[in-house]
Amino acid sequence: MTEAQRRGLNNAVTRMWSFLAPAYDLPLLQRWVYRPPHDEVIAQLRDHGARRIADIACGTGILSDRIERELHPEEIYGIDMSDGMLNQARARSERVTWLRAPAEKLPFDDGVLDAVVTTSAFHFFDQPAALREFHRVLRSGGLLAVSALSTRQPKLQAPSSQRWKPQHNASPAEMRSMFDGAGFAISDQHRIRRPAWARIVSDLITVGTKR
């Protein structure tokens, strides 16, 4: 995908989520789709003891707000490209710093964060570029937790080099390879824990620390 195509795609996705923002907070959608990965990410952050945290593609800010309320970090940033999402996030909490920026170009100096997390959005990113940017803004030993859609059927997953499509749902092996290539040592990778009837949502969490 060329840079111009990527910019056009990012703009289209941003407009879509600005339009859909009012529906994003529906209780059933949040409980059954988004809460399981949020729970996993919060557990990883608690174990790591991170104090300066960025939630990338934060949407309406539900995870960022939970991190602030449950973990009480020194700094918590919610980053998104959608003005519609960020408007709802700002109404949710004044204790989180909300910023508009792409995952591939974050508004932080090198090595200033203890943890970067992202849930249910990585498939829309320029994935290698985003991982390099996450590595840049993290301190040595900093935590990265990525929850993303990932097919359970490898035969259905086309390699990223052979695709031109709005999103790419990386396989577990591909996620491990990208983490390693970006300079992360993987500490955990597993399917998000869901009830059997909800496993139509096939997502994976990959956790690593900056080498």
Side-chain angles (χ1 to χ4, degrees), residues 4 15 91 107 110 128 135 170 176:
R15 289 193 299 270
D110 296 355
H135 188 274
R176 291 193 298 271

Side-chain angles (χ1 to χ4, degrees), residues 35-54 63 66-67 70-71 73 114-119 138-139 141-147 179 185-193 204-209:
R35 188 174 181 89
H38 290 181
D39 289 345
E40 298 251 8
V41 163
I42 286 176
Q44 292 286 343
L45 290 171
R46 181 177 287 112
D47 289 345
H48 187 265
R51 305 304 301 159
R52 296 177 298 278
I53 303 164
L63 175 59
R66 279 191 64 190
I67 291 170
E70 297 179 25
L71 302 182
D114 296 319
V116 169
V117 302
T118 184
T119 61
L138 283 168
R139 64 168 175 79
L143 178 80
L144 173 62
V146 175
S147 167
F179 263 56
I186 294 177
S187 57
D188 191 11
Q189 185 184 66
H190 61 266
R191 293 284 172 186
I192 299 296
R193 300 175 180 92
L204 179 83
I205 186 168
T206 305
V207 182
T209 52

Side-chain angles (χ1 to χ4, degrees), residues 80-203:
D80 206 278
M81 280 293 290
S82 166
D83 288 327
M85 291 288 190
L86 287 172
N87 286 339
Q88 290 191 223
R90 292 186 181 104
R92 183 183 304 281
S93 175
E94 297 179 353
R95 297 178 300 275
V96 178
T97 301
W98 307 106
L99 300 171
R100 187 178 188 275
E104 301 85 359
K105 192 173 182 180
L106 298 174
F108 302 110
D109 292 334
D110 296 355
V112 297
L113 297 177
D114 296 319
V116 169
V117 302
T118 184
T119 61
S120 307
F122 188 72
H123 46 283
F124 288 124
F125 300 166
D126 179 336
Q127 294 166 1
L131 288 171
R132 289 193 298 270
E133 185 70 346
F134 300 163
H135 188 274
R136 180 187 70 78
V137 301
L138 283 168
R139 64 168 175 79
S140 179
L143 178 80
L144 173 62
V146 175
S147 167
L149 295 174
S150 179
T151 181
R152 295 175 185 271
Q153 301 296 327
K155 290 182 180 179
L156 301 179
Q157 177 63 62
S160 58
S161 60
Q162 298 178 14
R163 56 147 174 114
W164 194 100
K165 54 187 179 181
Q167 66 181 54
H168 178 59
N169 304 330
S171 68
E174 192 174 3
M175 287 294 291
R176 291 193 298 271
S177 177
M178 286 193 292
F179 263 56
D180 182 68
F184 291 96
I186 294 177
S187 57
D188 191 11
Q189 185 184 66
H190 61 266
R191 293 284 172 186
I192 299 296
R193 300 175 180 92
R194 297 180 179 276
W197 61 268
R199 289 177 188 166
I200 190 171
V201 181
S202 179
D203 47 356

Side-chain angles (χ1 to χ4, degrees), residues 62-76:
I62 290 175
L63 175 59
S64 302
D65 182 48
R66 279 191 64 190
I67 291 170
E68 194 282 326
R69 288 185 292 104
E70 297 179 25
L71 302 182
H72 310 293
E74 294 173 11
E75 300 171 14
I76 171 64

